[in-house]
Amino acid sequence: MALKAVHVSDLPNLVQVPDNAALALSGAVRFFKGVNEDDCDEMKCGCKLPNFVVMGHRGSGMNNMLQSSDHVKKSIRENSILSFNAAAKFPIDFIEFDVQVTKDGYPVIFHDVFILAEYKGAIFKKRVTDLTIAEFLSYGPQKEPGNVDKPLFRKTKDGRIFEWKVEKDDPLCTLQEVMDKVEHPVGFNIELKFDDQIVYTENELTRVLQAILQVVNKYAQDRPIIFSSFQPDAAQLIRKLQTLYPVFFLTNGGSQIYVDIRRNSLEEAIKVCLTGGLQGIVSEVRAIFINPGAVTRIKESKLSLVTYGQLNNVPKVVYMQHLMGVDGVIVDSVQEITEAISECFKPAKDSEEDGLFGEEKQMQVKTEPGTC
């Protein structure tokens, strides 16, 4: 069946779930245990995901809508151990989070390039990578009773600044703490975060990536790990530095144009993966609906495809992506998405353990009126 481009505004009402639908979430599937290059052509080997995968965005969801009344967007501080463990209670496979490295070499969990705080009534900003680990951890709620909190602030895309208030707060944390304190067996999608406005040398990238790899190699144990990055040089370099864990290239698929043309389309993303020996692409979800033919080209290239974006919080949009051949989704509304799909689908009796779809494992739809 040919796929046709659709307008993104039509997506939430577009999909009618068929009676024989076959979509389910897996809470315990082990996604990757490593990339074995001995079984494939080096620099051209993709990874076939054994299941439709659901990942929690920054744990239980991002906090970008601080000025909104949306409970989900403000309930738990994003990129925190509290948020990660809250997400891990639901049947998801991975938690996605952002890692940067402080100037003294410690990988920390934080999305924004700059950290905003208040001093003597004025808001100031500091680049995360210009802070020491002690300075970074001094912001936000403190672990030690005697330490004074430094309230965090956040700037919206339109330039407004809001105090970063959430209903359930938690201290900033390091990658090592996350490895130690987040529930097993949930996997980690570690986004390698870099500043879009900086041109990095290979030595600078190597320093950052080796600091991250040192922690992962020491503390990950048997936890499934994926590396991902919008920075094409970083994505390709971490593939050269290690071959145990799969690497995905992040792209918005052309919704924003960059000087580096490798970031401007799904076609360029495929090239980045094939030339660098990467295992897959993480695309903004609207890009695959605008250009559905790219999904076929990605799969023909033996690459896995995962998507992110606010539309992934709509269950029918998630289902449509499964029909298109997408391998997984990153979502903010972890509870809503997992509950919605769990209500609609249940495993067939006496099914095999080989997989989840088609001949690998059959799924049945709950057909009781009003259940989905």
Side-chain angles (χ1 to χ4, degrees):
M1 178 180 69
L3 295 175
K4 181 174 72 172
V6 296
H7 194 280
V8 294
S9 63
D10 296 331
L11 293 176
N13 299 316
L14 184 64
V15 182
Q16 298 298 319
V17 180
D19 290 340
N20 63 345
L23 174 64
L25 303 182
S26 166
V29 67
R30 293 303 80 209
F31 186 77
F32 288 115
K33 293 207 176 186
V35 179
N36 184 359
E37 288 191 322
D38 295 334
D39 296 332
C40 60
D41 184 14
E42 187 175 5
M43 304 304 284
K44 294 183 180 180
C45 176
C47 275
K48 173 62 180 173
L49 311 193
N51 184 24
F52 188 83
V53 175
V54 177
M55 306 185 188
H57 186 210
R58 306 181 200 172
S60 299
M62 63 181 181
N63 299 147
N64 281 8
M65 305 295 288
L66 297 180
Q67 75 278 22
S68 169
S69 59
D70 188 338
H71 169 80
V72 173
K73 300 294 185 184
K74 302 190 297 183
S75 59
I76 306 176
R77 180 173 295 279
E78 68 176 44
N79 276 335
S80 68
I81 292 171
L82 181 63
S83 182
F84 299 157
N85 280 327
K89 295 182 184 299
F90 297 97
I92 62 173
D93 302 285
F94 279 80
I95 292 165
E96 182 271 350
F97 54 80
D98 311 275
V99 174
Q100 303 181 61
V101 175
T102 62
K103 72 176 183 180
D104 50 350
Y106 288 86
V108 296
I109 315 301
F110 201 77
H111 174 271
D112 300 354
V113 172
F114 291 96
I115 196 165
L116 275 66
E118 184 179 22
Y119 181 70
K120 293 184 177 179
I123 304 297
F124 68 90
K125 67 177 184 179
K126 291 187 177 181
R127 190 181 296 274
V128 171
T129 55
D130 288 341
L131 300 172
T132 65
I133 184 62
E135 291 169 334
F136 174 78
L137 294 176
S138 71
Y139 294 100
Q142 297 296 293
K143 300 171 187 175
E144 300 299 329
N147 293 347
V148 179
D149 292 5
K150 296 179 182 177
L152 293 169
F153 290 75
R154 205 166 206 184
K155 180 182 286 188
T156 62
K157 290 184 177 180
D158 60 8
R160 292 179 294 166
I161 295 177
F162 292 85
E163 186 173 352
W164 196 342
K165 288 184 177 180
V166 292
E167 296 172 11
K168 297 178 182 178
D169 215 340
D170 204 39
L172 301 182
C173 57
T174 67
L175 180 58
Q176 179 180 335
E177 288 177 310
V178 171
M179 291 286 179
D180 288 339
K181 296 179 180 180
V182 174
E183 297 291 335
H184 279 75
V186 68
F188 292 161
N189 175 359
I190 300 175
E191 181 183 337
L192 311 168
K193 195 77 177 179
F194 294 93
D195 189 341
D196 291 339
Q197 307 305 315
I198 294 178
V199 177
Y200 294 90
T201 66
E202 184 171 337
N203 286 340
E204 290 170 330
L205 291 175
T206 300
R207 178 188 66 83
V208 171
L209 298 179
Q210 285 182 336
I212 295 169
L213 284 172
Q214 183 176 6
V215 173
V216 171
N217 291 336
K218 186 173 182 180
Y219 296 100
Q221 299 179 8
D222 62 347
R223 189 189 296 272
I225 301 290
I226 300 171
F227 291 113
S228 60
S229 185
F230 284 103
Q231 221 289 354
D233 294 324
Q236 292 183 336
L237 182 56
I238 200 164
R239 182 64 182 146
K240 293 178 181 178
L241 293 174
Q242 62 83 42
T243 59
L244 180 61
Y245 302 113
V247 181
F248 282 39
F249 180 53
L250 271 157
T251 179
N252 60 30
S255 61
Q256 183 175 349
I257 301 302
Y258 297 89
V259 174
D260 190 336
I261 63 171
R262 295 174 295 176
R263 300 187 60 182
N264 291 340
S265 69
L266 288 171
E267 285 72 19
E268 289 294 330
I270 294 171
K271 293 178 185 178
V272 169
C273 291
L274 295 182
T275 58
L278 310 189
Q279 283 65 54
I281 293 170
V282 181
S283 171
E284 211 284 334
V285 59
R286 292 173 297 177
I288 68 165
F289 286 113
I290 293 170
N291 183 13
V295 177
T296 300
R297 292 190 289 277
I298 290 168
K299 307 312 289 185
E300 289 175 346
S301 301
K302 298 182 179 180
L303 298 170
S304 293
L305 175 61
V306 175
T307 66
Y308 72 93
Q310 292 191 20
L311 280 174
N312 279 352
N313 297 313
V314 181
K316 288 185 178 181
V317 174
V318 172
Y319 175 72
M320 187 174 187
Q321 291 178 75
H322 164 57
L323 294 182
M324 295 173 68
V326 174
D327 297 296
V329 290
I330 300 173
V331 305
D332 291 300
S333 302
V334 173
Q335 180 174 359
E336 179 183 355
I337 292 297
T338 56
E339 287 182 351
I341 297 178
S342 296
E343 288 175 2
C344 291
F345 303 97
K346 63 180 180 179
K349 294 180 180 179
D350 301 322
S351 57
E352 298 296 327
E353 298 295 331
D354 295 330
L356 281 184
F357 302 120
E359 69 226 26
E360 296 174 338
K361 186 173 181 180
Q362 299 298 316
M363 304 299 294
Q364 293 179 340
V365 183
K366 290 177 66 175
T367 56
E368 291 87 344
T371 58
C372 57

